[in-house]
Amino acid sequence: MVLVINEGFNDAGHEDPGHPERPDRVVAARSAVDDLHLGDDLVVVGAHSATRDELVRVHSGIYLDELSAYCYSGGGDIDQDTYATLDSFTIAKYAAGAGLAVIEELQRRNDGVGFVAARPPGHHALADRAMGFCLLNNVAVAAAALRSQGERVLIVDWDVHHGNGTQQIFWDVPEVLYVSTHQWPLFPGTGSVNEVGGRHAADRTVNIPLPPGATGDVLRRGIDEMAGPVIDSFDPTWVLVSAGYDAHRADPMADLRLTSGDFALLARCVSDYAPVPGRVVMFLEGGYDLGALRSSIHASLSAALGQPHDGESPSNGGPGTEQIERMRQSRRSTVEMLHASDDEESTQ
Amino acid sequence: MKPFQHVAVGYDGSPDATNAVRWTFDAAREVHASVTIVHAIGLIEHQRKHFSTDRVPPALLALAKECAFEESELHWLVEDGDACSVLLRMTSPPINADMLVVGSRGEGKREGLLLGSTSLELAEHASVPVVVVPSDFTEH
């Protein structure tokens, strides 16, 4: 099976010395791809800068104007975590366009797995606000493009932080199902189990918050038991992954205890939700320990491509298992309440 | 108009935020309102927390004393998120703040910056009045 990856673009201009979201992250991601030794099975598609039309499907025009003006005037700190430089808007548009180019190639081939190794990451970017290192929401731009083609898109977000931007953008969109596993409590503070989607998309958001120290077995159980039935009933035509690797036990930004072996199992599990080959794309989100990032990307891509991997064993035994059934029931009640209030309104 | 009863004020340790807390103490004292001072923990701060989660920073206790604000009416909260989202959450249960206060510029922000301005974002999204205390504001 081929791996379709975006061509590298010069992202050195988006850097703030000492900031954890740095160009070396993409270098590590591309090294992980090199480690696969794919030869002719590696397909690199040309860089694409997302157009305004492609961006306004998810971001407000006013925000895009503000962000570009801010960057072109020299940039600076946007909030306590997020920075922009003179080149950031240009670079962010390439990051947002990379997924579109990869998807186009997969559609042409009807085969393969896609990987978008680009930065800055995107899943915290709201429709009208940058935050959490993110300027433009890369996975949302891709999902919105697919939606415009009539596709039903599953987004699985296994970054350790909740993807509040992606959730907000598709909150009331029935053609996009958003599933997130994340540590809680942790930045950005959203992602409660009772956030299930808007009135027109009740049940199209599945949040699986996990306590600090949770291991891969707990996370996979959460996906199987809480998200599995919802995904089956949604019947996606595409699977996009917000593939953050900061849930790895070596990552300094959070406290989950996953290993590269867990990311391999996750990638296999998520790939199984795609109806046919050529319909899975992984987007790099977080992951700040370069060694863990490289080994975890290698493991997840190996698994998605059906190759064995010989990295760390999957983790188990962490806390959180006992919460899953309780969370599932709580979520179910919230969805039923939303449906009931909707029925009540429609009969009045 | 019903006087406000519970004010939430953002605090990041910057001089502007301290100024905003001072204004809040003075205003709340006059109408016997309680005050929640809230600190937002961002992505990076997770690695090294700036403030204790369960103890009011001594500098704020000293400021309350200086403003003759009752310590028993002072609450300290540390929440995960960006400053804007965290303050907006303060208007919901269990806090139910009926007024939000921020300094005009947070730690490290560029003067006159519109993008990412917590005060502008709050003004746009908050369901309660928002007070922005200017950097150079002094009561007397």
Side-chain angles (χ1 to χ4, degrees), chain B residues 5-6 19 36 39 41-42 45 48 51 65 89 98 117 124 131-132 139:
Chain B
Q5 296 177 321
H6 195 129
N19 208 30
T36 295
H39 173 67
I41 304 184
E45 196 180 330
R48 196 173 54 195
F51 297 104
K65 196 171 178 188
R89 268 184 251 149
D98 47 18
S117 157
E124 189 179 342
V131 173
V132 183
E139 190 79 57

PDB file of all heavy atoms in Angstrom, chain B residues 5-6 19 36 39 41-42 45 48 51 65 89 98 117 124 131-132 139:
ATOM      1  N   GLN B   5     -23.200  41.197  41.900  1.00  0.00           N
ATOM      2  CA  GLN B   5     -22.978  40.471  43.151  1.00  0.00           C
ATOM      3  C   GLN B   5     -21.708  39.630  43.138  1.00  0.00           C
ATOM      4  O   GLN B   5     -21.154  39.314  44.175  1.00  0.00           O
ATOM      5  CB  GLN B   5     -24.174  39.557  43.436  1.00  0.00           C
ATOM      6  CG  GLN B   5     -25.447  40.357  43.665  1.00  0.00           C
ATOM      7  CD  GLN B   5     -26.638  39.451  43.868  1.00  0.00           C
ATOM      8  OE1 GLN B   5     -26.764  38.421  43.201  1.00  0.00           O
ATOM      9  NE2 GLN B   5     -27.514  39.823  44.771  1.00  0.00           N
ATOM     10  N   HIS B   6     -21.329  39.254  41.931  1.00  0.00           N
ATOM     11  CA  HIS B   6     -20.159  38.374  41.859  1.00  0.00           C
ATOM     12  C   HIS B   6     -19.333  38.724  40.620  1.00  0.00           C
ATOM     13  O   HIS B   6     -19.792  38.570  39.497  1.00  0.00           O
ATOM     14  CB  HIS B   6     -20.604  36.913  41.803  1.00  0.00           C
ATOM     15  CG  HIS B   6     -19.473  35.978  42.098  1.00  0.00           C
ATOM     16  ND1 HIS B   6     -19.532  34.978  43.021  1.00  0.00           N
ATOM     17  CD2 HIS B   6     -18.215  35.942  41.612  1.00  0.00           C
ATOM     18  CE1 HIS B   6     -18.372  34.345  43.078  1.00  0.00           C
ATOM     19  NE2 HIS B   6     -17.559  34.924  42.227  1.00  0.00           N
ATOM     20  N   ASN B  19      -3.461  45.650  38.208  1.00  0.00           N
ATOM     21  CA  ASN B  19      -4.245  46.881  38.197  1.00  0.00           C
ATOM     22  C   ASN B  19      -5.747  46.581  38.090  1.00  0.00           C
ATOM     23  O   ASN B  19      -6.586  47.217  38.740  1.00  0.00           O
ATOM     24  CB  ASN B  19      -3.781  47.736  36.999  1.00  0.00           C
ATOM     25  CG  ASN B  19      -3.989  49.203  37.235  1.00  0.00           C
ATOM     26  OD1 ASN B  19      -3.937  49.669  38.364  1.00  0.00           O
ATOM     27  ND2 ASN B  19      -4.266  49.936  36.163  1.00  0.00           N
ATOM     28  N   THR B  36     -14.038  36.575  42.320  1.00  0.00           N
ATOM     29  CA  THR B  36     -13.249  35.396  41.975  1.00  0.00           C
ATOM     30  C   THR B  36     -12.114  35.847  41.056  1.00  0.00           C
ATOM     31  O   THR B  36     -12.362  36.405  39.991  1.00  0.00           O
ATOM     32  CB  THR B  36     -14.096  34.332  41.245  1.00  0.00           C
ATOM     33  OG1 THR B  36     -15.089  33.844  42.147  1.00  0.00           O
ATOM     34  CG2 THR B  36     -13.230  33.171  40.783  1.00  0.00           C
ATOM     35  N   HIS B  39      -7.059  32.423  37.165  1.00  0.00           N
ATOM     36  CA  HIS B  39      -5.839  32.332  36.360  1.00  0.00           C
ATOM     37  C   HIS B  39      -5.997  31.202  35.350  1.00  0.00           C
ATOM     38  O   HIS B  39      -6.354  30.078  35.719  1.00  0.00           O
ATOM     39  CB  HIS B  39      -4.622  32.072  37.262  1.00  0.00           C
ATOM     40  CG  HIS B  39      -3.377  31.809  36.483  1.00  0.00           C
ATOM     41  ND1 HIS B  39      -2.771  32.775  35.706  1.00  0.00           N
ATOM     42  CD2 HIS B  39      -2.625  30.682  36.315  1.00  0.00           C
ATOM     43  CE1 HIS B  39      -1.703  32.273  35.114  1.00  0.00           C
ATOM     44  NE2 HIS B  39      -1.594  30.996  35.466  1.00  0.00           N
ATOM     45  N   ILE B  41      -4.543  28.461  32.825  1.00  0.00           N
ATOM     46  CA  ILE B  41      -3.315  27.707  32.537  1.00  0.00           C
ATOM     47  C   ILE B  41      -3.318  27.315  31.069  1.00  0.00           C
ATOM     48  O   ILE B  41      -4.161  26.540  30.616  1.00  0.00           O
ATOM     49  CB  ILE B  41      -3.227  26.411  33.353  1.00  0.00           C
ATOM     50  CG1 ILE B  41      -3.341  26.699  34.841  1.00  0.00           C
ATOM     51  CG2 ILE B  41      -1.916  25.692  33.078  1.00  0.00           C
ATOM     52  CD1 ILE B  41      -3.165  25.457  35.684  1.00  0.00           C
ATOM     53  N   GLY B  42      -2.375  27.847  30.340  1.00  0.00           N
ATOM     54  CA  GLY B  42      -2.268  27.539  28.913  1.00  0.00           C
ATOM     55  C   GLY B  42      -1.533  26.229  28.683  1.00  0.00           C
ATOM     56  O   GLY B  42      -1.211  25.493  29.613  1.00  0.00           O
ATOM     57  N   GLU B  45       2.139  26.370  30.082  1.00  0.00           N
ATOM     58  CA  GLU B  45       2.241  26.483  31.544  1.00  0.00           C
ATOM     59  C   GLU B  45       2.063  25.134  32.237  1.00  0.00           C
ATOM     60  O   GLU B  45       2.442  24.978  33.402  1.00  0.00           O
ATOM     61  CB  GLU B  45       1.234  27.511  32.079  1.00  0.00           C
ATOM     62  CG  GLU B  45       1.580  27.937  33.510  1.00  0.00           C
ATOM     63  CD  GLU B  45       0.610  28.944  34.087  1.00  0.00           C
ATOM     64  OE1 GLU B  45       0.030  29.734  33.316  1.00  0.00           O
ATOM     65  OE2 GLU B  45       0.438  28.933  35.311  1.00  0.00           O
ATOM     66  N   ARG B  48       5.239  23.983  33.784  1.00  0.00           N
ATOM     67  CA  ARG B  48       5.716  24.629  35.014  1.00  0.00           C
ATOM     68  C   ARG B  48       4.671  25.637  35.460  1.00  0.00           C
ATOM     69  O   ARG B  48       4.590  26.741  34.927  1.00  0.00           O
ATOM     70  CB  ARG B  48       7.051  25.318  34.762  1.00  0.00           C
ATOM     71  CG  ARG B  48       7.757  25.653  36.071  1.00  0.00           C
ATOM     72  CD  ARG B  48       9.152  26.171  35.845  1.00  0.00           C
ATOM     73  NE  ARG B  48       9.179  27.302  34.936  1.00  0.00           N
ATOM     74  CZ  ARG B  48      10.277  27.762  34.345  1.00  0.00           C
ATOM     75  NH1 ARG B  48      11.414  27.165  34.553  1.00  0.00           N
ATOM     76  NH2 ARG B  48      10.244  28.808  33.554  1.00  0.00           N
ATOM     77  N   PHE B  51       1.290  29.389  39.413  1.00  0.00           N
ATOM     78  CA  PHE B  51       0.589  29.668  40.670  1.00  0.00           C
ATOM     79  C   PHE B  51       0.063  28.379  41.285  1.00  0.00           C
ATOM     80  O   PHE B  51      -0.275  27.430  40.569  1.00  0.00           O
ATOM     81  CB  PHE B  51      -0.599  30.610  40.416  1.00  0.00           C
ATOM     82  CG  PHE B  51      -0.198  31.958  39.900  1.00  0.00           C
ATOM     83  CD1 PHE B  51      -0.366  32.282  38.569  1.00  0.00           C
ATOM     84  CD2 PHE B  51       0.365  32.901  40.751  1.00  0.00           C
ATOM     85  CE1 PHE B  51       0.005  33.524  38.071  1.00  0.00           C
ATOM     86  CE2 PHE B  51       0.750  34.149  40.271  1.00  0.00           C
ATOM     87  CZ  PHE B  51       0.568  34.457  38.934  1.00  0.00           C
ATOM     88  N   LYS B  65      -5.882  43.428  51.218  1.00  0.00           N
ATOM     89  CA  LYS B  65      -5.748  44.127  52.500  1.00  0.00           C
ATOM     90  C   LYS B  65      -5.593  45.630  52.253  1.00  0.00           C
ATOM     91  O   LYS B  65      -6.244  46.457  52.919  1.00  0.00           O
ATOM     92  CB  LYS B  65      -4.536  43.572  53.245  1.00  0.00           C
ATOM     93  CG  LYS B  65      -4.495  43.909  54.698  1.00  0.00           C
ATOM     94  CD  LYS B  65      -3.392  43.132  55.398  1.00  0.00           C
ATOM     95  CE  LYS B  65      -3.360  43.546  56.856  1.00  0.00           C
ATOM     96  NZ  LYS B  65      -2.229  42.993  57.556  1.00  0.00           N
ATOM     97  N   ARG B  89     -16.236  31.096  30.826  1.00  0.00           N
ATOM     98  CA  ARG B  89     -16.813  30.010  31.633  1.00  0.00           C
ATOM     99  C   ARG B  89     -17.233  30.490  33.019  1.00  0.00           C
ATOM    100  O   ARG B  89     -18.092  29.882  33.658  1.00  0.00           O
ATOM    101  CB  ARG B  89     -15.785  28.876  31.773  1.00  0.00           C
ATOM    102  CG  ARG B  89     -15.914  27.809  30.697  1.00  0.00           C
ATOM    103  CD  ARG B  89     -14.913  26.698  30.980  1.00  0.00           C
ATOM    104  NE  ARG B  89     -13.837  26.734  30.008  1.00  0.00           N
ATOM    105  CZ  ARG B  89     -12.575  26.371  30.239  1.00  0.00           C
ATOM    106  NH1 ARG B  89     -12.211  25.926  31.416  1.00  0.00           N
ATOM    107  NH2 ARG B  89     -11.679  26.433  29.301  1.00  0.00           N
ATOM    108  N   ASP B  98     -21.511  37.891  37.360  1.00  0.00           N
ATOM    109  CA  ASP B  98     -22.380  38.810  36.620  1.00  0.00           C
ATOM    110  C   ASP B  98     -21.597  40.020  36.095  1.00  0.00           C
ATOM    111  O   ASP B  98     -22.183  40.966  35.579  1.00  0.00           O
ATOM    112  CB  ASP B  98     -23.592  39.251  37.454  1.00  0.00           C
ATOM    113  CG  ASP B  98     -23.214  39.668  38.860  1.00  0.00           C
ATOM    114  OD1 ASP B  98     -22.024  39.948  39.091  1.00  0.00           O
ATOM    115  OD2 ASP B  98     -24.109  39.702  39.713  1.00  0.00           O
ATOM    116  N   SER B 117      -6.928  39.777  21.306  1.00  0.00           N
ATOM    117  CA  SER B 117      -7.195  40.641  22.449  1.00  0.00           C
ATOM    118  C   SER B 117      -8.291  40.016  23.308  1.00  0.00           C
ATOM    119  O   SER B 117      -9.423  39.836  22.867  1.00  0.00           O
ATOM    120  CB  SER B 117      -7.634  42.014  21.940  1.00  0.00           C
ATOM    121  OG  SER B 117      -8.384  42.662  22.936  1.00  0.00           O
ATOM    122  N   GLU B 124     -17.166  40.664  22.754  1.00  0.00           N
ATOM    123  CA  GLU B 124     -17.969  40.088  21.668  1.00  0.00           C
ATOM    124  C   GLU B 124     -18.821  38.914  22.150  1.00  0.00           C
ATOM    125  O   GLU B 124     -19.946  38.744  21.716  1.00  0.00           O
ATOM    126  CB  GLU B 124     -17.035  39.638  20.544  1.00  0.00           C
ATOM    127  CG  GLU B 124     -17.770  39.233  19.275  1.00  0.00           C
ATOM    128  CD  GLU B 124     -16.825  38.798  18.159  1.00  0.00           C
ATOM    129  OE1 GLU B 124     -15.624  39.121  18.220  1.00  0.00           O
ATOM    130  OE2 GLU B 124     -17.318  38.128  17.232  1.00  0.00           O
ATOM    131  N   VAL B 131     -15.631  44.821  31.960  1.00  0.00           N
ATOM    132  CA  VAL B 131     -14.878  46.045  32.254  1.00  0.00           C
ATOM    133  C   VAL B 131     -13.420  45.819  31.854  1.00  0.00           C
ATOM    134  O   VAL B 131     -12.824  44.811  32.224  1.00  0.00           O
ATOM    135  CB  VAL B 131     -14.939  46.384  33.765  1.00  0.00           C
ATOM    136  CG1 VAL B 131     -14.017  47.568  34.086  1.00  0.00           C
ATOM    137  CG2 VAL B 131     -16.368  46.695  34.165  1.00  0.00           C
ATOM    138  N   VAL B 132     -12.883  46.751  31.074  1.00  0.00           N
ATOM    139  CA  VAL B 132     -11.471  46.698  30.693  1.00  0.00           C
ATOM    140  C   VAL B 132     -10.765  47.834  31.413  1.00  0.00           C
ATOM    141  O   VAL B 132     -11.074  49.012  31.196  1.00  0.00           O
ATOM    142  CB  VAL B 132     -11.300  46.856  29.162  1.00  0.00           C
ATOM    143  CG1 VAL B 132      -9.819  46.729  28.797  1.00  0.00           C
ATOM    144  CG2 VAL B 132     -12.130  45.817  28.423  1.00  0.00           C
ATOM    145  N   GLU B 139      -7.332  55.126  40.582  1.00  0.00           N
ATOM    146  CA  GLU B 139      -8.626  55.571  41.108  1.00  0.00           C
ATOM    147  C   GLU B 139      -8.589  57.008  41.594  1.00  0.00           C
ATOM    148  O   GLU B 139      -9.533  57.764  41.397  1.00  0.00           O
ATOM    149  CB  GLU B 139      -9.033  54.650  42.258  1.00  0.00           C
ATOM    150  CG  GLU B 139     -10.450  54.820  42.759  1.00  0.00           C
ATOM    151  CD  GLU B 139     -11.459  54.134  41.859  1.00  0.00           C
ATOM    152  OE1 GLU B 139     -11.365  52.930  41.621  1.00  0.00           O
ATOM    153  OE2 GLU B 139     -12.368  54.840  41.370  1.00  0.00           O
TER     154      GLU B 139
END
